[in-house]
Amino acid sequence: MLEEELTGGRVQKSGERPLGEISWHGFHWWPLAGSSAHSAVPSEIASALNEAVLCLSANCPRAAAVMARRTLEAIATDKGGGKSKDALAKQLANMAASGLLQPTLADWAKEVRAIGNSGAHFDPIDTVSNADASQLIEFLQALIEYLYVLPYDLAQRRAARP
């Protein structure tokens, strides 16, 4: 468990002299929340998504958003959205144009890219909340299901037919 020290019922500020009773407040429990990946998901993609989940579980939404964007970039590269050196926006446009990403999925992918960029680049006005990061991760899990797991499961089902 990760804990923070409370003095007098509140978190102690750096350099502040402790006044009051000291107690501890747990804000994260072990084991770490992770993402288990289906065997059809490439390891680089599963690893990036797992890191996004870990960042969110550690209350680091900007880092989670950046890792969500990295996961999306790995998916786009793996699915042939363009050359790996192409900008992610171009890769996503290619995936949408080819029909690999349906319109709603393409719009969500743009959200992941935009919010991931917000997490990566400093802007005191543009913040990333836990809710934002959580939504990005949920979308990526659905996208992975759509692009990797469902096709794999269908192929397995068809292969099992006599």
Side-chain angles (χ1 to χ4, degrees):
M1 174 176 72
L2 298 178
E3 299 176 314
E4 58 190 356
E5 182 179 349
L6 301 177
T7 304
R10 63 183 181 79
V11 176
Q12 194 71 37
K13 293 181 183 175
S14 178
E16 187 177 30
R17 192 170 157 213
L19 296 173
E21 183 179 331
I22 296 175
S23 62
W24 297 90
H25 166 72
F27 61 89
H28 185 75
W29 299 90
W30 299 100
L32 289 173
S35 169
S36 60
H38 190 279
S39 62
V41 181
S43 62
E44 305 83 30
I45 294 168
S47 175
L49 181 61
N50 189 55
E51 193 167 332
V53 171
L54 289 173
C55 289
L56 183 59
S57 73
N59 198 28
C60 300
R62 288 186 304 260
V66 170
M67 289 310 301
R69 186 193 182 286
R70 182 181 174 95
T71 303
L72 182 64
E73 190 169 7
I75 292 168
T77 299
D78 180 63
K79 288 297 181 180
K83 297 176 185 166
S84 63
K85 296 197 189 269
D86 285 346
L88 181 55
K90 182 176 180 180
Q91 289 180 313
L92 296 175
N94 291 343
M95 291 174 72
S98 73
L100 190 58
L101 289 180
Q102 302 302 318
T104 302
L105 296 177
D107 286 345
W108 260 108
K110 289 176 188 175
E111 284 294 301
V112 173
R113 186 185 69 79
I115 295 171
N117 286 345
S118 294
H121 303 288
F122 179 73
D123 183 343
I125 298 171
D126 199 6
T127 62
V128 178
S129 70
N130 281 333
D132 292 330
S134 181
Q135 283 183 333
L136 299 186
I137 290 168
E138 287 172 15
F139 163 70
L140 286 169
Q141 289 168 332
L143 182 63
I144 287 169
E145 180 82 13
Y146 176 78
L147 292 175
Y148 294 96
V149 178
L150 292 175
Y152 175 87
D153 288 347
L154 181 59
Q156 292 297 309
R157 176 175 170 72
R158 287 180 175 162
R161 285 191 198 154

